[in-house]
Amino acid sequence: MLHIKKIEDGAEIFKALGSDLRIQIIRLLLENREMNLNEIAASLGITNGALTSHMKKLEESGLIAVLSEHEGHGNQKVCRVNTDRILIDIKPQTPEESKNMYSIDIPVGQYTDYQVQPTCGIATASHLIGEVDDPRYFAHPDRSNAHILWFGKGYVEYLIPNLIPPSSQVDQLILSMELSSEAPGVNNDWPSDISFLINDIPVGTWTSPGDFGDVRGVFTPSWWFPYWNQYGLLKTLILNKNGTFIDGRKLSDVTIQDFRLDYKSSIRLKLMADKTASNTGGLTLFGRSFGNYDQDIRALVSYSPDSH
């Protein structure tokens, strides 16, 4: 997701989208996942030279990624769409709103509790931790260095650091993470109901469409097995006074006020693939160095003076 916090910061994106040809390029890449420059030029009926400036503008705007040499494409660099949505804040934050918030990244291996069933596993950016399909390795000390984890059923729970000042209350919680299902091997058509809980209270469920393995993730390391999960979808969960939302769509009527979070409160996020769900397709969580987004679990916490 591209998040434009001030409308003037989106000028390059707006310019990039102001061309019918560049819109066609994006549509081609969405339809084909990835293409090399020759393939794009041939599909559009233009020369590589005519294509170059358009690709440069799309890449500079962050809308597409031009990847290094890729197996199966010879020496051609390949291109793919670099985001699945654009979020634009039309109303800028006031200086007070900007001040009363903090952002923090939580590595995917720094869970504080877990209960998982195979298929499952955990890995750093350079190697697997222990054996796959053995839940005992989720307790291995090296897990704090993990950048990806997956399981068929169960949950992982994270403690979100509460850094708000004394006599303050949490007004909004924004969490973003890259997720997919977990199939034996990979299967792009493998729905899974992934539930989100805050302090053990369910706030909503999102159905992942599949366990994506059709192409290698932009940041997935070269040693990673080609028949394993390659990338996920970046999901943004928001809890505020109006309810709980995912990517702008309302998930539930659970509000941030329901938790009464002050500066003494613990804030725990649980990600669950419930064995009683309608779609029991497991869960894969991608962190830095894996998938299409080079990030861990990202938390943005907004707060204000406690009115009680």
Side-chain angles (χ1 to χ4, degrees):
M1 179 182 71
L2 291 175
H3 185 188
I4 301 171
K5 297 181 180 180
K6 295 189 295 183
I7 194 166
E8 55 267 28
D9 291 342
E12 291 306 312
I13 290 177
F14 303 146
K15 290 177 184 176
L17 293 173
S19 160
D20 289 340
L21 185 62
R22 290 195 284 273
I23 294 292
Q24 290 181 55
I25 293 170
I26 292 173
R27 285 178 175 164
L28 275 173
L29 292 175
L30 289 172
E31 290 169 1
N32 296 282
R33 290 288 183 180
E34 64 178 30
M35 301 173 72
N36 65 41
L37 296 176
N38 287 340
E39 292 168 338
I40 296 172
S43 296
L44 296 172
I46 62 176
T47 65
N48 279 33
L51 178 65
T52 301
S53 62
H54 293 288
M55 299 303 294
K56 183 177 180 182
K57 189 169 287 292
L58 286 168
E59 184 181 17
E60 289 175 346
S61 70
L63 291 170
I64 68 163
V66 179
L67 310 179
S68 310
E69 294 180 4
H70 193 280
E71 186 178 350
H73 288 274
N75 292 325
Q76 271 284 354
K77 291 192 175 182
V78 296
C79 312
R80 69 173 63 160
V81 175
N82 197 37
T83 186
D84 52 359
R85 61 185 52 84
I86 301 171
L87 176 63
I88 303 171
D89 294 336
I90 299 296
K91 178 182 176 294
Q93 293 176 328
T94 65
E96 191 65 24
E97 288 173 332
S98 299
K99 182 178 70 173
N100 291 341
M101 65 174 58
Y102 66 89
S103 177
I104 195 162
D105 286 356
I106 305 164
V108 301
Q110 290 190 7
Y111 44 85
T112 54
D113 192 16
Y114 73 94
Q115 187 177 79
V116 301
Q117 296 178 30
T119 53
C120 63
I122 187 168
T124 72
S126 60
H127 61 273
L128 291 170
I129 297 175
E131 302 292 333
V132 297
D133 296 339
D134 189 340
R136 295 177 301 167
Y137 285 98
F138 275 68
H140 195 284
D142 286 350
R143 69 176 178 80
S144 60
N145 299 316
H147 293 267
I148 187 173
L149 60 83
W150 64 98
F151 52 87
K153 295 180 180 66
Y155 68 83
V156 284
E157 185 173 68
Y158 297 86
L159 183 64
I160 300 170
N162 185 346
L163 306 178
I164 69 174
S167 302
S168 297
Q169 62 184 8
V170 176
D171 294 329
Q172 181 169 258
L173 181 61
I174 302 177
L175 302 164
S176 70
M177 65 211 80
E178 186 174 353
L179 294 166
S180 78
S181 310
E182 162 48 29
V186 292
N187 189 335
N188 282 24
D189 185 15
W190 189 265
S192 181
D193 296 338
I194 297 175
S195 297
F196 306 93
L197 296 86
I198 300 294
N199 292 356
D200 288 322
I201 297 175
V203 298
T205 297
W206 167 69
T207 301
S208 168
D211 178 3
F212 305 109
D214 50 335
V215 295
R216 184 174 294 276
V218 173
F219 297 101
T220 299
S222 59
W223 68 268
W224 188 248
F225 309 99
Y227 49 88
W228 284 10
N229 348 46
Q230 297 295 322
Y231 64 94
L233 300 175
L234 188 67
K235 310 310 293 182
T236 301
L237 186 74
I238 300 177
L239 285 82
N240 58 30
K241 64 181 181 181
N242 298 313
T244 302
F245 303 81
I246 190 161
D247 300 336
R249 179 177 61 84
K250 194 166 190 178
L251 273 185
S252 74
D253 292 324
V254 179
T255 70
I256 195 69
Q257 282 81 3
D258 293 333
F259 297 92
R260 300 183 180 276
L261 299 173
D262 62 18
Y263 73 102
K264 295 180 180 179
S265 302
S266 65
I267 308 174
R268 292 176 286 112
L269 166 68
K270 183 178 288 185
L271 305 174
M272 176 180 289
D274 194 337
K275 63 181 180 181
T276 65
S278 299
N279 299 293
T280 54
L283 184 157
T284 301
L285 177 60
F286 299 82
R288 288 183 298 106
S289 305
F290 276 90
N292 285 347
Y293 304 89
D294 195 25
Q295 70 164 72
D296 292 307
I297 299 173
R298 185 159 295 161
L300 180 64
V301 182
S302 301
Y303 57 89
S304 65
D306 195 335
S307 56
H308 296 96

